[in-house]
Structures are given as structure tokens and as C-alpha cells.
Amino acid sequence: MDDNAFFRRTVLIVDDEPINREILGTMIGGDYEILYAGDGAEAMRMIGDYGMTLSLILLDLLMPVMDGYQVLQKLGEDETLKHIPVIVLTSEKSAEVRSLAMGAVDFIPKPYDMPEIIMARVRRIIQLAENAAIIKSMENDELTGLYSGKFFFEYANRIEQYDAGRAMDAIAINISNFHLINDLYGRATGDEVLRSLADNLMTEFGSGIGVVCRETADHFFLYVGHRDDHAQVLERIITRMRRTEGIKNLHIRMGVYPNVDHDVPMEARFVRARHACNAICGNLVQNMAVYDEEMHRKEIFSQRLIEDFEDALSQGQFVVHYQPKYSILGEKPELVGAEALVRWQHPEFGLLAPGAFVPLLETYSLISKLDRYVWNKAAGHMREWKDRWGSCLPISVNVSRIDMHDADFKDSLLAIVRDNGITPQDCVLEITESAYAGYAAHLVEIVTELRQQGFRVEMDDFGSGYSSLNMLAELPLDGIKMDMRLISSITTSDKARQVVKLVIGMAKLLELPIIAEGVEDKAQYDLLKHLDCDVIQGFYFAKPMPPEELVKLLHKGE
Ligand code: C2E
Ligand code: MG
Ligand code: MG
């Protein structure tokens, strides 16, 4: 039987002789769900009810009310139902030819004396019909032999039709850092890991009701009968695969949307499962997450923010705050710049920090719109300050990794600078470390051009996990900002202190200024000063503030 759709298929037996129905039903009932009809009319009603969830019809020809030929004719006239395979049950040789001509795919001679042959025919015909459907959709996955997404949803919907109220789980599975497996062990091993995961999923889930697919790359979907032991199952799979594939730090994540709400559309059930799976992205301790109320609330909240975004932009709900940066090289800390940080003054939710919406806008590819807005605002403030004092503090703006894919990125930046009458030399671009990870060559090219135009470029969030120290030497940069998480534990963890020391040493070697952000107390400040850090940004000196307050601060400085 087909390997990937492991729900019990349904066969309709149509015969007016109760004893014939019973014999056939007993023969194949071990492997299939059986429905019975006593004549053609009753059969047509049932076919109307069950539709394409029927895998096969076994059809007697001579019956009262409506005979088998009439059933064949009616099915042949229906664009959908004609795809349900029909085997005719007959004792007459002559009837075979006629029924085959009318669309039957095979026949079983009466009396039924060879159960194995009957079983083999039933199985083969169902498989042929399903294979034909698969080939038709051209959607199965060559690498793993699993269904691909499109066919998966078709099957999942069939399960839904056939057994509407059944408790089901929607599951999304993903291999953490799969690209690293490809990079470290080669593509062949990567493929082998994917195949092995597919096999393991079939071993664990293949005996129950359900269907599995490889949706894309290293993402798998499962739609299976509800159970409570997913965590243990996953544990078993990981343990087995670490052994068979010889990859000790193989991590697999699972997001489960359990006991699906049958009013939620099938695709949306998997959005939820994936949501749960993404919630533990980057968390190598927790393998499994369950979609819960909390995630549901977050999902609704996110949806709301996306809906509100365009209006918010046109109504000026986004405001820019500034956090001062201080050089600590001299005797006294000296204000040397400020970072523009966006906030959303939402009419209903109040002042939202960027953590609540920046990653979301990145997912929906809307961040570039917001970034342009912020750069423009910041450039406007800089113009104002220049008008007032003749010069202005260098202002840093954040650049999302998504901006890097925007073909107009450089031109819009230059246009904003020009239109506001400031110069690239007034601006620092903070590009987050993760942007450098996957697109290095392309990024180096853009950054080189921007620096030629006069912008200063700093790598933001350095040490958050994507880059290596030796990569720093090859990148065109004007400064490195250490990630807040590195700084937060320097006074408590020896290891963190060593890392920060190493990073500062490396920056000195490359003659790049090094900036520490998230400095919250005197102990951290003293230590960083001692380690020769150049610039500090953090609550210890100042929190992000509205532009008017920055102006006051500048004034005081004067
Ligand atoms: P980031 O660029 O690394 O900005 C520094 C973040 O650290 C800011 O958070 C700042 O308020 C916070 N911070 C500074 N000092 C301290 C401290 O001493 N303690 C603690 N606990 N936090 C401190 P914020 O404003 O919430 O921004 C978060 C992130 O959102 C930023 O991280 C940046 O990646 C992103 N972001 C902010 N504005 C924009 C923007 O206009 N465009 C884009 N693409 N991203 C932005
Ligand atoms: Mg930043
Ligand atoms: Mg940062």
C-alpha cells in the first residue's frame, strides 16, 4: 500500500445479495473501512455523500432498482467521481468487456473462491489510482519519497471529509541549522539526513491515521491522529538519527498544534504548528513546543499590527528616539553620537518597543518602508540641528538585513541625505551581524559602495552568534558594536569577560573602534574602560529619549 498516506482507505461494496456482500467484506475488511449498498440507487446516494474519500467501488452488475451499468454510466458523466476506480463483480465473461468499456478498471469473477487474488487486485487498483493522482499533481518529493505540500493538503482534507470530528494534530518539524549540516558535512550528507528523517517519521507515525510530507527544504508537515507522546517520539527520532547519521549535535524542532479546531482551515492549522516550531528557533535545549493560548494571542496581536501598519505610517504614529553614545577614552566620558531607535505610538496599545514589531515587519517584508521613514525622520532632525548650531552629532540608524535585498537601498539612502541637505559623513549605518551571515559577497559589495559615498558602517550585535572573529578582517567596516548579551554578563562570567577581551583585542588589531551597548552599571563601565573599549551606549549613561531631550542634553554639554 502507498507509504505516505497511512489512513485506512474506504471501499464501497455494492451487491444485492447480502451473502455476497458479507463474503467480500470479510475478505478485505481487515485492511479497509467497508461501506455497503444493496442496489445502484443506494450506491449513488452513498457515493454522493462520501465522494472522493472512497478509494474503490466493488460493483455488482445485475441488481434491482438501478443496475451496475447505470451506476457506471452515472459515474462516467461526473467529472470528479469518474476518478474513483470501480471493479465489477461478475460471473459472465461477456459483461466484462462492456463494463471495461464503460470505465470499470478491472473485474473479479464470481464466485469468490480466491481471497488472495481478490485482495491483491483491490490493493493494486487502489495504488494505481492513487499513483495516477500523484503523477497528475507532479508534486511528490523525489529525495524522500514523501508527498510534497500540495498533495499533502489534498490528503489531509480527505481525512477531514471522511472523519470530520476526529481528534487530529497538526505538526511542523524542522532541522535546526540545517544549512550548517550541508556546509560542514556536504550536500550528500544533508540529503541523507533528510531521507533518514522522512524514514523515521514513517516508522513512528506510519501505523496510525495520518499523512506526512516534506513541505520545503528541511521543513516537514504531519497531520496525524491526536496523541500525547510527541515529545517522546521526537526524542527517540533524534537519538536514533544522531547515532545512524553520526552527527552528535543534530537538533530537530517540533511544533505541535494539538487537537486541531476543525473550524480553522487546514492551511491555517499548519501556520499555527509552524508558529510553535519557530517559537523555539535558536533554543537548543527545548525540542518541542505546543501551540497554546499565549501563541494564539500573539498571532492575533501580530495580525493586528500588520493590518495597522500602513495607516500608522501615513498618520505619523512612528516616532524616533535617540540614545547617546559616549567615548570613554579620555578622562571624562564625551558625547560622540546617538543612535536613532524607532517606537510605535499605537493609538490602542500605547508606546511599542521595536522588539514588538521590527521582526514582524521583517517577516512581512515591510521593514524597508519603515526604515526609510525612520532615516528620513532622523535626517530631518539632523537638518534642524545643523540649522541651529551649524553642525550636528553623528547619528546612527539601523539597517535591517532585509534592506540589503532591496535594489533601491543605496539610492534611497542617498536621496534622503540629499533631500534633507545633510551629508553621508553625518551618518552611521548599523548593519546587524546576522545580515553578514548568508549574503556575504553581495553585502560586502554594497557596504563598500556606501563607504565610498562617505557613510560610516558599523556591525551591530556582534557576538550574537552568526559571525566569527576571523571574518572581521575581511569586511569593510568602520566600527564594531558588541552585542548586549556579551556585555550583560561580563562582571559575573569569566568566560564572557574573556570573549569581550578577545573581541576588543581583535578590534584594536584591525584598528577599528569598538562600541559596547547595553552597559547598565558602573561595574560594567569600569571593566570596559579597563579593557580599553572606545565607546559606550547604555542605560548607565542614558536611555533612548525623544529628540527634544537629546537637544537639552547637547545644550548642557555646551
Ligand atoms: P539595537 O540596534 O542593538 O539597539 C539597541 C537596543 O538596546 C535598543 O533597544 C536600546 O534601547 C537597548 N538598550 C540600550 N542600552 C541598554 C541597556 O543598558 N540595557 C538594556 N536592557 N537595553 C539597552 P530597542 O530600542 O528596543 O531596539 C531593539 C532593536 O530593534 C534594535 O537593537 C534594533 O535592532 C531594532 N531597531 C530599532 N529601531 C530600528 C529601526 O529604525 N530599524 C530597524 N530595522 N531596526 C530597528
Ligand atoms: Mg543598532
Ligand atoms: Mg545592537
Side-chain angles (χ1 to χ4, degrees):
M1 191 48 52
D2 196 306
D3 289 340
N4 302 321
F6 33 82
F7 57 94
R8 272 167 71 88
R9 285 141 177 87
T10 305
V11 174
L12 172 64
I13 298 178
V14 191
D15 200 314
D16 57 329
E17 290 287 344
I19 182 72
N20 282 348
R21 292 201 295 266
E22 209 165 291
I23 292 172
L24 260 188
T26 314
M27 279 180 185
I28 64 172
D31 286 2
Y32 300 96
E33 298 293 330
I34 308 292
L35 301 171
Y36 298 100
D39 61 61
E42 192 187 354
M44 284 315 297
R45 276 196 302 276
M46 297 183 77
I47 294 168
D49 285 349
Y50 286 88
M52 294 309 290
T53 62
L54 292 174
S55 291
L56 177 68
I57 300 168
L58 297 176
L59 182 67
D60 183 25
L61 288 175
L62 303 178
M63 294 180 294
V65 190
M66 183 194 275
D67 67 19
Y69 294 114
Q70 283 170 286
V71 172
L72 279 174
Q73 183 167 355
K74 282 203 177 302
L75 290 178
E77 287 163 5
D78 188 302
E79 268 316 304
T80 313
L81 299 180
K82 74 177 178 193
H83 296 294
I84 306 174
V86 179
I87 298 180
V88 296
L89 313 166
T90 178
S91 46
E92 291 175 57
K93 271 268 168 240
S94 63
E96 287 165 12
V97 182
R98 185 171 166 212
S99 48
L100 288 175
M102 289 182 73
V105 291
D106 204 351
F107 59 88
I108 293 174
K110 288 182 182 179
Y112 311 127
D113 46 8
M114 308 275 270
E116 314 80 59
I117 293 184
I118 291 176
M119 199 62 202
R121 279 193 187 181
V122 164
R123 199 179 291 139
R124 189 177 62 91
I125 293 297
I126 291 178
Q127 184 153 34
L128 278 178
E130 287 181 356
N131 286 353
I134 296 170
I135 290 163
K136 198 176 104 219
S137 73
M138 294 292 271
E139 288 276 336
N140 64 326
D141 170 31
E142 273 180 32
L143 180 69
T144 61
L146 296 181
Y147 293 142
S148 63
K150 186 176 161 222
F151 207 70
F152 169 83
F153 282 109
E154 226 171 283
Y155 259 112
N157 282 320
R158 269 192 211 188
I159 295 175
E160 186 78 358
Q161 274 172 7
Y162 167 62
D163 204 347
R166 184 188 272 271
M168 299 294 292
D169 298 339
I171 300 177
I173 287 179
N174 185 216
I175 301 174
S176 301
N177 292 323
F178 181 67
H179 65 279
L180 285 184
I181 295 181
N182 274 335
D183 290 350
L184 292 173
Y185 302 90
R187 268 200 92 85
T189 305
D191 286 354
E192 176 49 35
V193 167
L194 293 173
R195 266 194 298 268
S196 165
L197 178 54
D199 292 347
N200 273 285
L201 291 175
M202 289 310 301
T203 309
E204 292 290 348
F205 293 96
S207 58
I209 186 167
V211 56
V212 59
C213 79
R214 182 164 77 116
E215 197 242 346
T216 51
D218 58 323
H219 296 262
F220 294 74
F221 281 165
L222 287 149
Y223 191 59
V224 294
H226 174 65
R227 50 200 274 185
D228 292 316
D229 62 344
H230 292 307
Q232 290 93 303
V233 169
L234 182 63
E235 227 17 86
R236 274 204 296 278
I237 293 180
I238 294 174
T239 309
R240 256 200 313 265
M241 284 183 66
R242 281 183 184 160
R243 200 176 52 237
T244 55
E245 307 310 309
I247 300 174
K248 276 208 226 56
N249 51 4
L250 179 75
H251 290 280
I252 300 172
R253 296 196 300 267
M254 182 190 252
V256 182
Y257 171 36
N259 256 321
V260 299
D261 176 347
H262 291 272
D263 290 332
V264 173
M266 191 60 77
E267 262 88 354
R269 296 175 198 174
F270 286 89
V271 169
R272 291 183 176 187
R274 199 198 308 244
H275 212 74
C277 191
N278 288 344
I280 43 170
C281 181
N283 176 344
L284 297 183
V285 181
Q286 192 184 345
N287 295 325
M288 196 197 91
V290 172
Y291 184 86
D292 54 16
E293 271 306 305
E294 173 69 22
M295 283 187 203
H296 187 57
R297 268 196 303 276
K298 269 196 199 147
E299 193 189 334
I300 300 220
F301 182 63
S302 300
Q303 218 46 51
R304 200 28 225 288
L305 293 185
I306 292 299
E307 276 166 27
D308 293 350
F309 175 70
E310 296 286 345
D311 282 348
L313 206 56
S314 61
Q315 291 168 10
Q317 290 173 15
F318 290 100
V319 293
V320 181
H321 284 191
Y322 294 91
Q323 187 176 31
K325 290 177 168 180
Y326 290 86
S327 163
I328 56 164
L329 290 175
E331 194 113 319
K332 265 172 55 189
E334 183 197 351
L335 185 58
V336 289
E339 176 177 12
L341 293 160
V342 69
R343 274 94 184 89
W344 184 344
Q345 186 64 60
H346 193 283
E348 198 180 320
F349 306 131
L351 195 69
L352 298 175
F357 56 89
V358 164
L360 184 70
L361 294 175
E362 286 180 335
T363 309
Y364 284 82
S365 297
L366 291 169
I367 191 67
S368 300
K369 269 192 175 174
L370 177 64
D371 278 346
R372 273 166 213 208
Y373 180 89
V374 172
W375 302 336
N376 201 41
K377 275 268 171 227
H381 288 143
M382 288 156 85
R383 177 69 259 158
E384 226 181 281
W385 299 331
K386 275 195 151 179
D387 286 344
R388 257 162 92 174
W389 293 290
S391 70
C392 101
L393 213 53
I395 296 294
S396 308
V397 295
N398 286 285
V399 176
S400 164
R401 65 196 155 78
I402 308 292
D403 295 317
M404 294 294 153
H405 303 294
D406 184 350
D408 298 330
F409 167 57
K410 196 187 73 184
D411 290 342
S412 7
L413 206 66
L414 284 168
I416 287 171
V417 165
R418 194 186 51 232
D419 294 350
N420 286 282
I422 55 169
T423 66
Q425 285 75 13
D426 299 321
C427 313
V428 181
L429 307 176
E430 293 192 4
I431 303 180
T432 181
E433 180 195 64
S434 65
Y436 290 86
Y439 311 92
H442 169 65
L443 195 100
V444 167
E445 197 178 302
I446 299 182
V447 169
T448 305
E449 285 174 29
L450 288 167
R451 293 178 75 225
Q452 277 163 2
Q453 297 284 343
F455 291 101
R456 259 160 49 203
V457 176
E458 287 176 359
M459 186 194 273
D460 203 353
D461 310 318
F462 181 80
S464 57
Y466 290 88
S467 49
S468 52
L469 278 176
N470 54 19
M471 159 180 169
L472 281 180
E474 287 155 32
L475 293 173
L477 284 175
D478 302 284
I480 300 166
K481 279 186 95 169
M482 283 182 287
D483 191 57
M484 206 166 351
R485 278 164 291 185
L486 279 183
I487 307 302
S488 67
S489 46
I490 45 167
T491 51
T492 49
S493 150
D494 215 32
K495 200 171 156 200
R497 194 160 44 241
Q498 290 305 324
V499 171
V500 168
K501 197 173 161 187
L502 206 71
V503 173
I504 294 178
M506 184 78 181
K508 296 283 160 189
L509 209 66
L510 297 167
E511 297 177 348
L512 289 175
I514 181 97
I515 300 117
E517 75 183 324
V519 179
E520 293 187 337
D521 55 41
K522 184 160 189 316
Q524 291 172 345
Y525 165 74
D526 286 341
L527 187 58
L528 286 161
K529 191 165 167 62
H530 173 74
L531 291 174
D532 232 4
C533 181
D534 299 284
V535 175
I536 274 183
Q537 176 183 346
F539 294 174
Y540 178 60
F541 283 127
K543 291 195 168 173
M545 57 187 79
E548 314 80 69
E549 278 183 43
L550 183 73
V551 167
K552 276 190 218 154
L553 194 78
L554 284 168
H555 214 65
K556 239 180 13 199
E558 273 177 351

